[in-house]
Amino acid sequence: MTNTSSPTASAPVTFEFDAPGRDLESLKRSIANKLMFVVGKDPEAARPEDWLHAAAYAVRDQLVERWMTTTRAQYAQDAKRVYYLSMEFLIGRTFSNAMLAVGLRERVKQALADFGVDIDAVTELEPDAALGNGGLGRLAACFLDSMATLNIPGFGYGIRYDYGMFKQTIVDGRQVEVPDYWLTHGNPWEFPRPEVNYRVQFGGHVVKVGDAYQWVDSHDVQAMAYDTIIPGYATKATNTLRLWSAKATQEIDLGAFNRGNYMAAVETKNHSENVSRVLYPDDSTASGKELRLHQEYFFCSASVQDLLRRYLRTHDNFESLPDKVSIHLNDTHPVLAIPELMRLLLDEHHLSWADAWRLCQGVFSYTNHTLMHEALETWPVEMMGRILPRHLQIIYDINAQFLHQISLRGGSPELLRKVSLVDEAGERRVRMAYLAVVTSHSVNGVSALHSELMKESIFFDFANLWPERFNNKTNGITPRRWLAQANPALSAVLDKQVGTGWRRDLTQLSGLNAVLTQPKVIEAFQGAKLANKQRLADWVQANMGLTIPTDALYDVQVKRIHEYKRQLLNVLHVVTRYLRIINNPGSVTVPPLVPRVVVFAGKAASAYHMAKQIIHLINNVAKVVNNDPRVGNLLKVVFIPNYSVSLAERIIPAADLSEQISTAGTEASGTGNMKFALNGALTIGTLDGANVEILENVGADNIFIFGLTTPQVAATRAAGYQPRAIAEGNAELTAVLEAIRDGVFSPDEPGRFQSIYDLLVNWGDHYLLLADYAAYIAAQEQVDVAYQNKEAWSVMALRNVAAMGPFSADRTIGEYADKIWKSKPLELAS
């Protein structure tokens, strides 16, 4: 029994509660109680989903007391809180992660087994939380994990999407999007907070009353909070992920309903709640663009209102705001938080412009995740003025002040045009990344290469103005989920060789270097890899009806489908390999081809036609290759649909080869490259993103680097790149391209992939696939040679594992907290 006191308006009230026990019998009693009194099911009638929820509630109870203790400590220590704003939090499944954090998996497993329930079976029933799509969201999830593990007081703020982005299905080889009903059975991990809701305004107009501005005649949406506990590992600290759900200010127009106009009665409710329906609505239409702007402002407004409310609970003015609040912008999606904070300070709390601006510059920091201009968000001035009229005024005022300062420093009219927050060329647009740079006290890239290129390209003029503002924080991954949880077989090998401390200090894996050439260590590593391949092969057989061999090299590329990530270059190698096999039946190729299973997975944005064509091509190639008796087990191709965190946890541990083959200078960092290497896969890749730093850490003998460098890419384009000449000069490449063009993989529709052929040969090959083709094929031949010596390959893989210490998200977050956020760890009793 635990005593605690609760502050009230009058006096502290002491109350008692029963802290949940951690022993087996206590867990069994807790699960039984949850099944009966929370889920409301008799054990005789309980479905597997009911047992999952009962166990989840029991494990959640283990976190709640820590959560309350952490929150009290934050207030008691007047800690500086970090607010991490992100459109995505790709947290995956929570049940396994929570058990790992509290160290109770084996006991929960036994407790369920005593009830006749298989923990592995029910764990598979938990849907991935549909709160993200790609690396941006997974990075945010890793960061929340590390913030809690390091006792950094933090909040994640995002949107509680009803249906995620979409569930990807493959129909006749094509991607077909359907809603992701991840909340159908409820979410036992979230705490609805109906009392925490904020008015979010859209539209209307601005009036000036004296020296003040008022935003009037708007249409409003309510933002309601849902909280999820983020536990730290081997610590009492937890943090909170607060997600906002859009609710209508009026549930129903009863007058319209009583008149029989039932659709009109709920029209306002449906329109309001569309804001949090899906992640990244198709923005190829004007209405889609407007919905995305609504989404971004919705979560920024609710989050900033919420964090100010929390700050004002213990402070009666704003002078300490930069000392107690850090707001971090994860890419450009949350940049509307800047004018929103300015609006609240100016219009609601009546600060002067100078004070409000000084405070904003003290609290905001910004991470850039892309070098591609088309991916840097801009909003039409007309649209923003119509939807967020007060914010557009504030942005114009920030811009005027900024440009005036630059002109006083002798800035030329050309410089003013280039750095203006408003692009005046053509349709006037607000440059959100520029707004982030002008306001933030820190702007960072996410790999050493990316951070340098960022200063040399998209933010060149700003870096000249404020060089001290720019810095690098190379991304990292959490070893708890991506090794301890995803790969129990390899984790057991590592625990035996270097101890268990790597879960908190990944640099301890360097201890492997002393033993990794020992036969028993190599054998144990190979056994773990084989077990992981078998686990993936079983899943593919059960879910896709395809048999894949486990004695082959598993060659894997799993990530968002995009032209710059060059899944298409991978396909060119697959087709090259296929043609070599069928054109040399029964003979030995030079160098010899080792059996391969080539695995693809990833979603294409619903409006991204070429990315969807690439998926179609992959599936058509797979259909031909996998059914050609001349190929047999020499080559299998698999496209696993609906890529997710839980699928990544199954795929990555099985990989031998990690495909990180983006055009040099396009990938900001990547974190998949780190996950694969940590799980004992060798990288084949370009000198792009964090591949450069992986090369530095693992050594050139333990990685396969190929292709043009970033300067060479620029020089090739400047010299007048001619992809057709490259194709015509390489007979094997010509045969590969013609096979794709002429219907070898689409005999029912020979011209299906003409557009892909044209993209590469006739339309400029923007991402230089053909320029890198020969080097890529040569690197793949080196892979074949290396893999024939399984013992040497295993040593190379183990050297990769041993070198992954610098790529822990704990290291990254430690740097953010120390250098950017200036946030100290909470002091908690052990």
Side-chain angles (χ1 to χ4, degrees):
M1 186 168 294
T2 302
N3 296 318
T4 188
S5 60
S6 174
T8 66
S10 53
V13 176
T14 299
F15 67 96
E16 298 179 344
F17 59 90
D18 294 324
R22 292 172 56 86
D23 61 278
L24 178 60
E25 289 307 313
S26 296
L27 286 170
K28 288 175 64 176
R29 177 62 61 90
S30 180
I31 292 171
N33 285 340
K34 299 301 179 186
L35 183 69
M36 181 170 290
F37 299 117
V38 178
V39 180
K41 283 292 186 76
D42 185 292
E44 295 297 320
R47 305 166 303 152
E49 290 87 354
D50 299 323
W51 285 105
L52 170 64
H53 279 210
Y57 284 121
V59 173
R60 191 183 76 169
D61 282 356
Q62 299 285 331
L63 301 176
V64 171
E65 187 177 3
R66 300 181 181 197
W67 195 28
M68 303 300 177
T69 300
T70 302
T71 301
R72 288 172 181 272
Q74 290 177 1
Y75 281 108
Q77 297 172 33
D78 196 15
K80 183 175 187 179
R81 292 182 175 90
V82 176
Y83 296 102
Y84 197 86
L85 274 60
S86 179
M87 279 289 281
E88 300 183 38
F89 288 95
L90 202 57
I91 60 176
R93 291 171 173 164
T94 302
F95 183 46
S96 296
N97 192 63
M99 287 190 291
L100 177 70
V102 297
L104 285 177
R105 189 184 190 283
E106 290 306 312
R107 287 184 205 165
V108 174
K109 178 180 180 179
Q110 184 59 54
L112 287 172
D114 289 351
F115 291 124
V117 178
D118 178 5
I119 191 172
D120 294 327
V122 298
T123 298
E124 285 297 311
L125 298 174
E126 182 181 13
D128 281 54
L131 301 173
N133 174 41
L136 184 81
R138 186 52 236 173
L139 181 77
C142 282
F143 280 4
L144 291 186
D145 175 279
S146 288
M147 288 167 68
T149 297
L150 297 179
N151 290 21
I152 302 299
F155 254 77
Y157 277 124
I159 296 177
R160 182 183 182 266
Y161 301 103
D162 294 340
Y163 307 112
M165 190 167 80
F166 56 80
K167 179 180 179 181
Q168 180 193 56
T169 61
I170 302 298
V171 179
D172 295 329
R174 294 178 171 88
Q175 172 179 294
V176 176
E177 304 93 23
V178 297
D180 187 343
Y181 297 107
W182 72 286
L183 291 169
T184 297
H185 298 290
N187 179 7
W189 298 102
E190 67 183 6
F191 291 83
R193 302 297 194 200
E195 76 282 7
V196 181
N197 65 86
Y198 297 96
R199 174 194 183 203
V200 179
Q201 298 174 258
F202 299 101
H205 60 279
V206 179
V207 296
K208 188 173 184 180
V209 181
D211 292 331
Y213 291 90
Q214 294 180 3
W215 186 4
V216 299
D217 296 335
S218 60
H219 63 269
D220 302 342
V221 174
Q222 291 296 120
M224 175 183 154
Y226 288 77
D227 289 348
T228 298
I229 305 172
I230 305 297
Y233 178 80
T235 174
K236 296 292 186 182
T238 66
N239 279 324
T240 302
L241 173 59
R242 174 160 286 181
L243 302 174
W244 301 106
S245 181
K247 306 295 181 184
T249 54
Q250 180 183 12
E251 285 287 315
I252 188 171
D253 182 342
L254 193 57
F257 188 88
N258 288 335
R259 291 191 300 271
N261 195 346
Y262 305 127
M263 295 296 291
V266 295
E267 182 179 2
T268 300
K269 172 182 170 66
N270 289 336
H271 180 73
S272 297
E273 297 182 359
N274 281 340
V275 172
S276 59
R277 297 278 192 220
V278 299
L279 167 67
Y280 299 144
D282 183 347
D283 62 355
S284 61
T285 64
S287 58
K289 288 184 175 68
E290 290 193 14
L291 179 55
R292 188 174 290 200
L293 181 59
H294 277 80
Q295 280 190 330
E296 294 184 8
Y297 176 64
F298 165 77
F299 104 89
C300 288
S301 176
S303 302
V304 174
Q305 291 184 68
D306 191 52
L307 67 88
L308 283 185
R309 174 197 59 81
R310 188 174 298 106
Y311 170 83
L312 290 171
R313 282 189 63 180
T314 53
H315 301 85
D316 55 13
N317 62 62
F318 288 100
E319 281 308 300
S320 297
L321 192 70
D323 298 322
K324 299 301 175 185
V325 168
S326 183
I327 305 175
H328 197 83
L329 307 174
N330 191 30
D331 217 2
T332 52
H333 309 118
V335 172
L336 284 167
I338 293 171
E340 175 65 359
L341 180 56
M342 286 291 291
R343 181 187 74 84
L344 292 169
L345 294 176
L346 294 168
D347 300 351
E348 303 293 332
H349 297 284
H350 311 297
L351 271 66
S352 69
W353 176 274
D355 285 341
W357 181 243
R358 172 175 54 83
L359 294 172
C360 274
Q361 289 195 300
V363 300
F364 281 106
S365 52
Y366 162 60
T367 295
N368 171 267
H369 286 279
T370 182
L371 296 172
M372 292 186 284
H373 279 280
E374 64 268 25
L376 295 176
E377 277 193 317
T378 62
W379 292 109
V381 166
E382 180 277 329
M383 181 186 295
M384 183 170 284
R386 182 163 36 85
I387 296 173
L388 301 172
R390 179 61 177 133
H391 297 75
L392 183 61
Q393 285 184 345
I394 290 170
I395 290 170
Y396 266 112
D397 288 344
I398 293 172
N399 196 38
Q401 174 182 279
F402 163 59
L403 294 180
H404 178 66
Q405 292 172 348
I406 301 305
S407 64
L408 291 179
R409 294 172 59 169
S412 67
E414 176 63 13
L415 177 62
L416 297 182
R417 182 191 66 79
K418 288 165 63 179
V419 300
S420 173
L421 304 187
V422 179
D423 184 356
E424 302 285 353
E427 180 187 33
R428 291 187 302 160
R429 303 180 73 89
V430 178
R431 297 159 159 163
M432 302 307 289
Y434 287 13
L435 176 59
V437 172
V438 167
T439 308
S440 298
H441 60 83
S442 170
V443 178
N444 72 279
V446 290
S447 72
L449 175 64
H450 167 247
S451 295
E452 288 305 309
L453 294 176
M454 180 179 72
K455 292 186 292 184
E456 294 170 3
S457 58
I458 54 175
F459 298 143
F460 175 79
D461 294 305
F462 296 100
N464 284 337
L465 292 169
W466 307 302
E468 73 287 348
R469 194 171 293 189
F470 290 82
N471 60 91
N472 175 58
K473 299 290 176 283
T474 297
N475 283 342
I477 59 175
T478 167
R480 272 80 62 182
R481 181 176 291 269
W482 293 112
L483 186 51
Q485 178 174 317
N487 199 339
L490 180 56
S491 296
V493 175
L494 299 175
D495 289 347
K496 185 174 181 180
Q497 299 303 324
V498 300
T500 60
W502 55 264
R503 291 167 176 80
R504 281 291 300 251
D505 178 8
L506 199 60
T507 62
Q508 292 185 21
L509 290 183
S510 63
L512 266 180
N513 286 316
V515 298
L516 54 76
T517 58
Q518 295 179 8
K520 64 177 182 180
V521 177
I522 294 171
E523 183 180 353
F525 171 78
Q526 291 174 339
K529 183 64 71 176
L530 181 60
N532 289 322
K533 288 181 178 181
Q534 188 64 60
R535 185 173 64 142
L536 177 59
D538 290 344
W539 188 94
V540 170
Q541 177 65 55
N543 291 273
M544 301 179 66
L546 176 64
T547 300
I548 56 176
T550 56
D551 60 349
L553 183 154
Y554 278 34
D555 178 350
V556 182
Q557 188 176 22
V558 288
K559 56 185 70 206
R560 180 168 56 96
I561 309 296
H562 196 289
E563 289 169 78
Y564 87 83
K565 294 179 183 288
R566 300 204 298 190
Q567 285 91 351
L568 193 49
L569 180 59
N570 193 345
V571 176
L572 295 182
H573 168 247
V574 170
V575 175
T576 300
R577 204 170 187 88
Y578 172 68
L579 294 179
R580 286 183 181 182
I581 292 169
I582 65 172
N583 290 331
N584 297 278
S587 64
V588 177
T589 59
V590 179
L593 295 175
V594 300
R596 285 208 198 194
V597 174
V598 182
V599 178
F600 295 89
K603 295 179 180 179
S606 57
Y608 193 170
H609 174 72
M610 183 51 67
K612 294 172 84 169
Q613 271 289 86
I614 291 168
I615 291 175
H616 199 183
L617 175 62
I618 293 169
N619 281 295
N620 279 190
V621 169
K623 183 177 180 181
V624 169
V625 170
N626 296 342
N627 290 285
D628 192 327
R630 296 171 294 180
V631 176
N633 280 343
L634 268 180
L635 182 61
K636 295 292 183 185
V637 182
V638 186
F639 185 93
I640 297 178
N642 204 41
Y643 185 52
S644 62
V645 174
S646 57
L647 274 176
E649 291 175 29
R650 189 179 296 274
I651 296 168
I652 290 172
D656 295 302
L657 188 67
S658 162
E659 298 272 353
Q660 308 298 330
I661 57 177
S662 51
T663 311
T666 59
E667 187 73 82
S669 169
T671 54
N673 44 12
M674 304 169 191
K675 293 163 193 164
F676 279 102
L678 182 62
N679 281 273
L682 302 187
T683 300
I684 183 168
T686 53
L687 286 173
D688 197 25
N691 291 355
V692 177
E693 289 156 87
I694 291 176
L695 167 64
E696 292 170 355
N697 281 273
V698 305
D701 293 337
N702 301 298
I703 191 170
F704 301 94
I705 296 295
F706 74 93
L708 300 176
T709 64
T710 302
Q712 289 170 338
V713 166
T716 299
R717 287 172 172 160
Y721 176 51
Q722 297 291 330
R724 174 176 288 278
I726 292 176
E728 291 174 347
N730 186 321
E732 187 166 50
L733 174 57
T734 296
V736 168
L737 293 168
E738 290 178 349
I740 293 170
R741 181 195 64 189
D742 296 341
V744 171
F745 304 104
S746 54
D748 55 323
E749 185 185 346
R752 177 178 297 158
F753 300 117
Q754 179 70 46
S755 62
I756 288 179
Y757 177 88
D758 289 337
L759 178 79
L760 298 177
V761 178
N762 298 323
W763 297 343
D765 184 22
H766 181 69
Y767 293 106
L768 281 70
L769 280 71
L770 303 193
D772 276 346
Y773 169 82
Y776 180 51
I777 298 301
Q780 291 284 12
E781 291 172 351
Q782 293 173 24
V783 170
D784 279 322
V785 171
Y787 193 72
Q788 291 177 72
N789 185 336
K790 299 293 180 59
E791 181 176 304
W793 181 278
S794 297
V795 169
M796 294 165 67
L798 284 164
R799 291 196 193 281
N800 274 259
V801 177
M804 284 300 107
F807 299 100
S808 170
D810 296 349
R811 185 270 312 155
T812 312
I813 287 300
E815 292 179 1
Y816 274 104
D818 183 48
K819 303 296 185 184
I820 296 178
W821 303 329
K822 310 297 183 184
S823 178
K824 304 296 184 185
L826 276 181
E827 296 179 5
L828 294 170
S830 58

